[in-house]
C-alpha cells in the first residue's frame, strides 16, 4: 500500500485526486474539469465572472498539531467562498494548488480533498483543476471563480452616508477558538469537556461562509457596501471606510459577541470585546444598506437561521469610531492581522 | 527609504503593487481589479471562460542565483499564458499569489511585477488581484483567466487517427539553457561571450508563450488535439495519446532541435536529441490537425515569424513510438520532469 505521495508520484497523485475531487454534476456550468491545460466553464446569461484567490501556509495560517488535513481543506475553501459571497456572487469552481513536502501521506491528501469537497458540494462548487508541486513548506492556494450580477455586485466602495451597518453571525468565536487550541487546556479531558471544547473551536476550524445569505441579499436588494471579515471587524470597517470615502460609527453595545468569545475569554482571562473587534478569520459578511432595507435584510437573513445585527451607521467624513458602553465616542483602532 | 517588505507592511505592499501592477486599460473586459474581495470581468458574447493556475517554488522551479525577480515574474506569467494558449484561448486577467519571506526587498517585488507586467501587457492581460502571505519559502502562484470559443477549444482528448502532429518553435533550448546556467562556465567572460550566453539562456529565463499562434489556429481551424510543452515533448505526447486514446508515431529526423541545444550540448557533452525530447519548460504548442489543415496551419504560423514543424502522425492504438534516424521504430519512453 502506498503511504507517501512520493510512492505514487505526481501523476499517480493527480489520478487519485481526479477521483477524490468528485465528478462534475449534470447541468453544471462547468464544461471541463481536472485533466487538461485549463478548466472551462460558462456563465449564466447576463452574468459576469468573479475571481478570487486565498492561500494558507503551514506555520503562518495553521498548525498541524491542532488542524487536521480535513479542517485545512474546509477552511481554505471557506475563506475563498467568503470572498465570492462578499461580492454577492454565486461560487462555481475552484482550482487547487498544493505545495507539498515529499513526506506528505496519501491519506492526508485524501482527507484534505474530503474537507474541501464537503464544503464545496454544499455550495455547488466543482473542483476543476490546479497544480501540485514539491516544496519544503506545506501550503494550499485556491482560486475560486463564480458569477455575479454586473449591476449588483457588493463592493467595498459601495457604502453611502445614511446606510445602516450590518453583520451576519456573531463575532470573536474564531480567534477565541484559536486561543483555546493554542492553550494548554488538556485535550484528553473527559468526553463532555472535549465535546464542549469542540463546539467552542468549531468556528475556528470549520467556519461556515455566508454564501446563501449573500445570494439572498443580492437577489432582493440593491447592494451598497459589502466585505467579508477575514482580518477582524475593526480592520474591515477601515477598509470599507477608506474605499467608500465615508465615516462609520459603531455602537459597541450592539456588537454580536460570540458566546464562545465570552466563555473562552473567561477561561483564558481575555476580553471578549477584543475578540469581537479584532479577531480574524470570521468569514462573516459586513455590509451596508439604507435603514429600511437593512431592517428587511436582517429579517430575511434571520429567517434563514443566521443571526444578523445592525451594529452602526455610515456617516460623512472618513473616521471609523465606536460609541463605548459608557456612551463615550472614540476612534476605533485599525488593528487586525497583518503579514510582515 | 524602505528596503524590506517588512518595513512597509502588508497593506503598504498592496498599495505599492496597485501602482506597479498597472491600470485597467479602457475598453477592457476587466471591470474591477486589485482592491476588493474579488476581481470582476465579463466575457465577449458567446465565449466561455478558461481558467488555469501554475506555481513556482524557490529551489524547485528556480534558483535565485541565476534567476532575477524580473525573470521569475516573466516566467510564471509565461507558463500560465501557455496553458490558456493550449486551449486556443484569449488570456484576460491574472490573480497573483506571493508567499514571501519577510526579508524580501521592496525592489525585488517591483522587479517581479515589472517582469510579469512586461509579458502580460504584450498579451493584453490585466493583473487584477491576488493574495500576499508570509512564508519561509519564496513561491509565486498565478491563476490566469481567459475566454475561448465553446465549440473550438484545444483539448488533450481531441487528437484523431490520421492527424498530423505539429509543434511550434524549436525544442531543447530551455533545458540546455538551464544546464548552462547551472554549469560553472564563467559568467564574467568578455562581453561577446556573455551576450552569446545570454542568447543561449533566453529561452530558459524569458520564454515566449505561443498565445498569438494559438489564436490564429483557433480562428482559422477546427482544433483537434492541443497541449503545451511544459514537462517535455515525450511526456506531452504521452498525455495526448492517453487522453485521446490514440497512438502517435514521431519522426526523429523531423524534430526541430534548437540551435542552443546543439551548441550547449557540444559545450557540456550532452545529447541535443535528449534535450529536444525530454527537456521541460519549452512553452511551445504541440497540436494535431488533419494533414491538409496541418500544412495550411504551418504556413500561417511561419508567416507570423514562428517556426512550425510537422513531426509525426496520429494512428490508431495507444502507443507512442519514434522512428529513429536509422529507420528503426521504437517505443518512446514516457520520461519528463515529475515532482515526487
Amino acid at each position: 500500500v502506498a503511504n507517501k505521495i512520493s510512492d505514487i508520484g505526481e501523476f499517480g497523485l493527480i489520478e487519485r485526486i481526479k477521483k477524490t475531487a468528485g465528478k462534475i454534476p449534470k447541468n453544471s456550468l462547468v464544461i471541463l474539469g481536472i485533466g487538461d491545460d485549463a478548466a472551462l466553464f460558462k456563465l449564466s446569461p447576463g452574468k459576469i465572472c468573479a475571481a478570487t484567490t486565498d492561500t494558507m501556509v503551514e506555520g503562518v495560517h495553521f498548525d498541524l498539531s491542532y488542524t487536521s488535513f480535513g479542517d485545512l481543506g474546509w477552511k481554505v475553501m471557506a475563506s475563498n467562498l467568503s470572498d465570492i459571497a462578499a461580492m454577492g456572487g454565486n461560487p462555481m469552481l475552484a482550482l487547487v494548488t498544493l505545495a507539498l513536502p515529499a513526506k506528505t501521506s496519501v491519506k492526508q491528501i485524501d482527507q484534505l480533498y474530503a474537507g474541501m469537497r464537503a464544503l464545496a458540494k454544499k455550495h455547488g462548487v466543482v473542483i476543476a483543476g490546479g497544480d501540485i508541486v514539491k516544496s519544503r513548506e506545506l501550503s494550499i492556494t485556491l482560486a475560486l471563480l463564480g458569477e455575479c450580477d454586473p449591476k449588483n455586485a457588493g463592493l467595498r466602495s459601495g457604502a453611502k452616508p445614511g446606510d445602516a451597518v450590518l453583520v451576519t453571525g456573531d463575532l470573536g468565536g474564531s480567534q477565541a477558538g484559536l486561543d483555546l487550541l493554542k492553550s494548554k487546556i488538556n485535550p484528553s479531558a473527559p468526553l463532555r469537556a472535549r465535546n464542549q471544547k469542540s463546539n467552542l473551536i468549531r468556528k475556528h476550524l470549520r467556519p461556515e461562509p455566508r454564501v446563501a445569505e449573500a445570494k439572498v441579499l443580492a437577489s432582493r436588494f440593491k447592494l451598497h457596501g459589502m466585505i467579508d471579515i477575514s482580518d477582524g471587524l475593526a480592520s474591515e470597517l477601515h477598509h470599507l471606510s477608506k474605499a467608500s470615502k465615508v465615516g462609520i460609527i459603531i455602537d459597541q453595545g450592539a456588537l454580536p459577541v460570540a458566546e464562545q468569545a465570552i466563555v473562552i475569554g473567561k477561561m483564558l482571562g481575555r476580553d471578549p470585546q477584543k475578540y469581537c473587534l479584532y479577531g480574524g478569520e470570521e468569514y462573516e459578511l459586513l455590509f451596508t444598506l439604507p435603514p429600511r432595507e437593512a431592517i428587511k435584510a436582517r429579517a430575511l437573513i434571520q429567517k434563514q437561521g443566521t443571526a444578523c445585527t445592525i451594529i452602526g451607521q455610515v456617516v460623512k467624513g472618513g473616521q471609523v469610531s465606536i460609541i463605548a458602553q459608557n456612551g463615550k465616542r472614540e476612534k476605533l483602532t485599525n488593528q487586525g492581522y497583518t503579514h510582515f
Side-chain angles (χ1 to χ4, degrees), chain A residues 165-169 171 229 233 256 284-287 307-309 311:
Chain A
V165 178
L166 300 94
V167 68
T168 59
L171 298 174
I229 302 181
L233 175 63
E284 297 293 347
L285 293 174
L286 176 66
F287 60 104
C308 185
T309 317
I311 60 167

Side-chain angles (χ1 to χ4, degrees), chain A residues 187-206:
Chain A
S188 61
L191 190 66
R192 202 151 41 144
R194 270 193 288 146
N195 279 345
Q196 172 68 3
K197 181 169 172 176
S198 126
N199 279 331
L200 288 173
I201 63 185
R202 183 163 299 139
K203 174 81 185 185
H204 183 71
L205 293 177
R206 299 259 170 166

Side-chain angles (χ1 to χ4, degrees), chain A residues 191-241:
Chain A
L191 190 66
R192 202 151 41 144
R194 270 193 288 146
N195 279 345
Q196 172 68 3
K197 181 169 172 176
S198 126
N199 279 331
L200 288 173
I201 63 185
R202 183 163 299 139
K203 174 81 185 185
H204 183 71
L205 293 177
R206 299 259 170 166
E208 293 283 352
R210 301 306 185 184
V211 176
E213 293 79 357
K215 283 186 193 175
V216 164
L217 289 175
S219 68
R220 300 289 290 271
F221 302 95
K222 172 77 189 118
L223 297 174
H224 281 201
M226 189 138 84
I227 190 169
D228 77 316
I229 302 181
S230 43
D231 297 329
L233 175 63
S235 176
E236 309 302 354
L237 286 166
H238 279 274
H239 286 314
L240 266 187
S241 156

Side-chain angles (χ1 to χ4, degrees), chain A residues 68-280:
Chain A
S68 72
F69 273 76
D71 293 335
L72 176 57
W74 177 287
K75 198 162 171 180
V76 71
M77 184 62 76
S79 84
N80 279 278
L81 284 168
S82 184
D83 282 324
I84 296 293
M87 306 305 286
N90 175 39
M92 293 163 68
L93 78 157
L95 304 179
V96 180
T97 298
L98 303 179
L100 302 173
K103 64 167 190 194
T104 311
S105 78
V106 173
K107 200 178 162 190
Q108 286 170 328
I109 299 303
D110 287 351
Q111 290 168 339
L112 184 73
Y113 273 86
M116 275 194 286
R117 202 179 153 183
L119 189 55
K121 206 178 164 188
K122 206 167 167 175
H123 297 291
V125 167
V126 174
I127 295 172
D131 195 14
I132 301 174
V133 298
K134 191 170 64 180
S135 73
R136 279 173 295 141
E137 206 167 41
L138 173 67
S139 76
I140 171 164
T141 303
L142 253 68
L144 191 70
L145 307 172
E147 58 182 12
C148 71
D149 182 339
K151 294 194 194 88
N152 202 25
L155 303 182
R156 294 184 179 189
S157 57
K160 289 178 179 56
D163 282 357
V165 178
L166 300 94
V167 68
T168 59
D170 50 33
L171 298 174
S174 180
Q175 182 68 42
L178 176 61
D179 281 357
L180 185 60
L181 283 165
K182 282 178 172 170
S183 75
K184 288 186 178 151
I185 291 175
N186 183 9
S188 61
L191 190 66
R192 202 151 41 144
R194 270 193 288 146
N195 279 345
Q196 172 68 3
K197 181 169 172 176
S198 126
N199 279 331
L200 288 173
I201 63 185
R202 183 163 299 139
K203 174 81 185 185
H204 183 71
L205 293 177
R206 299 259 170 166
E208 293 283 352
R210 301 306 185 184
V211 176
E213 293 79 357
K215 283 186 193 175
V216 164
L217 289 175
S219 68
R220 300 289 290 271
F221 302 95
K222 172 77 189 118
L223 297 174
H224 281 201
M226 189 138 84
I227 190 169
D228 77 316
I229 302 181
S230 43
D231 297 329
L233 175 63
S235 176
E236 309 302 354
L237 286 166
H238 279 274
H239 286 314
L240 266 187
S241 156
K242 199 180 166 193
S244 297
K245 299 186 176 73
V246 295
I248 297 175
I249 303 171
I250 296 301
D251 173 6
Q252 186 157 21
L255 291 178
V257 182
E259 202 197 321
Q260 295 106 307
I262 297 167
V263 174
I264 298 172
K266 209 167 188 176
M267 287 164 72
L268 304 176
R270 310 266 164 84
D271 182 356
Q273 291 283 334
K274 288 204 170 154
Y275 279 137
C276 176
L277 283 167
Y278 305 113

